[in-house]
Amino acid sequence: MYSPIENYGIIGDLNTIALVNLNGSIDFMCFPDFDSPTIFAALLDDKKGGRFEIRPQFGEMKTKQLYLPDTNVLLTRFLSAEGVSEITDFMPVEELYEGSELIRRVTNVRGNGNYQMLCQPRLNYALQSHTAEQISANCVLFKSKGEHNISLRLTSSVELFIQDGDVYSEFTLQEKETADFLLEHIVKEHDERKDFKLFITESLFRTINYWKEWVERSQYNGRWREIVNRSALVLKLLTSFKYGSVIAAPTFSLPEYIGGERNWDYRYTWIRDASFTIYALMVLGYTKEAGNFISWIEKLCRDIKGHKSLGIMYSIDGSRQLKEKVLDHFEGYMKSTPVRIGNEAYDQLQLDIYGELMDAVFLYNKHGEQIGYDLWEDLKKQIAWLAENWRRPDEGVWEVRGGKKEFLYSRLMSWVAFDRAIKISEQRSFPVDDNWKRQRDLIYESIFIDFWNEEEKSFVQHKGSSHVDASLLLMPLFRFISPKDPRWLSTLKKIESELVSDSLVYRYKNEFAAYDGMNSREGTFSMCTFWYVECLSRSGQLEKARLYFEKMIGYGNHLGLFSEQLGFDGKHLGNFPQAFTHLGLISAAFNLNKQLNNSRNKNAPESG
């Protein structure tokens, strides 16, 4: 039985993320890294995927989940007439500990309780068998059979038993008693810890303190601070400590439409998504994370071999080959197939990435640390390539698989790339190619001439179109056009008439779905709603912007987490949680809060 996508919380260690169900089961986890094969994937196949489940044997019970305040430590609570129990799930972060570890602490809060635990790893996307070896009464070692070599060790404070390669336990806890479970990736032989309970307790408190100290670094003190902090904590979890890259989402093949084929692998670093993420973290004051990403980009530029330009996406370590495969032994979430790993879009041409990247570098150079000469020289090569290629049709921001077109958004972001490169050179007195200004101005004129539809009184999605798409909402956000310009306001009205349903926004009309190479429909794009809110606030429509922002927050799950899309019935769709959605929330909250403050100060009576 598949749980709704929104029924999950997440924990992570800055290397990987696990999804924890409201029922106490870990149903998805790639291990030890974001883009490693799964060890648990019940989310994609309830029978074959594997899970790590702990369940109290109460009769009728309710479940709740919450994060310990300002942390990524997750508490799942079970409430019944017989008692109350809690599972505390967390992963000690890479910055504090070596190795990858998943810790689960069960606490019997009230009454006495019986429990069952099942650890059912299914290694290498459930393609590989394994052995289970009893090391002691409280310790079992899992070892894979086959070419993908991985060893996992499960240690517990209660007795463990092996059955058909899985590990189970049945135990009883009195009031206030605890039971601990530690699943770790073994890269070398470790001695068993002498005081297991003390180790778990110390790890818990150190992890809590790490997250609290990280949140305290935020410079945001405006409205909706709690939801902004939660989104920031999500973005931090999606950041690789080892490499500085930022993944789009920790999952793959969660459908954009139940029973449809829009099932993609998002466990990689899109230049676009990561650049937007860095902007969101920068406005909150997290310049360290921005600097780590800039360092990753710098290494990427130097390691380009056989390519004149950047790819649109990479694995977390900077590898470019992300060949797409279908896992046809998995039935898919709610039987939505195919289940894909890898992503063929890596080989697409998406010209917008240069604008997002240069905007992130511009902001980091201005508000973080100044970039160095070597990175500037590498970026110059990319801008030089763009100067020769910005007119080309491409697959665009939505990664269409039905053929290339001349998209407005690709032109817009090419303009941003030249504009920000020029601004960086002016700030730092870097040598600059005189051709850049000419190319920037040519693109500017092209957008107003080639992408303005006089009959529709609107900018349009691509050359020759009469329709809009949600990416146009970024035109004022990147300061290409004033948010109060008459041409923009009439475009905004067309977006509202074509794409907005109450406060929710589709990325483009469903009629375009046939062109994008997919036959199935999709939900509304949550990040686009936040772009819409920001456009409303920047144009002075503050009451409407605030109402729609509050309504959109109400679509978040019980923990304030968002997937990529929302279905017609409000259910979450697509990979979960989605960086793009959470960074959109941060940006919208930041701008709306600023506009509300400006409006309040403007209307305040003068003193004296």
Side-chain angles (χ1 to χ4, degrees), residues 476-489:
L477 305 192
F478 276 104
R479 303 182 186 278
F480 175 83
I481 193 170
S482 165
K484 298 181 181 180
D485 186 291
R487 291 200 186 207
W488 169 249
L489 292 176

Side-chain angles (χ1 to χ4, degrees), residues 501-520:
S501 173
D502 189 31
S503 62
L504 304 179
V505 181
Y506 291 93
R507 60 177 177 166
Y508 44 65
K509 293 189 73 168
N510 278 322
E511 289 87 340
F512 186 71
Y515 167 73
D516 78 1
M518 298 287 114
N519 295 317
S520 59

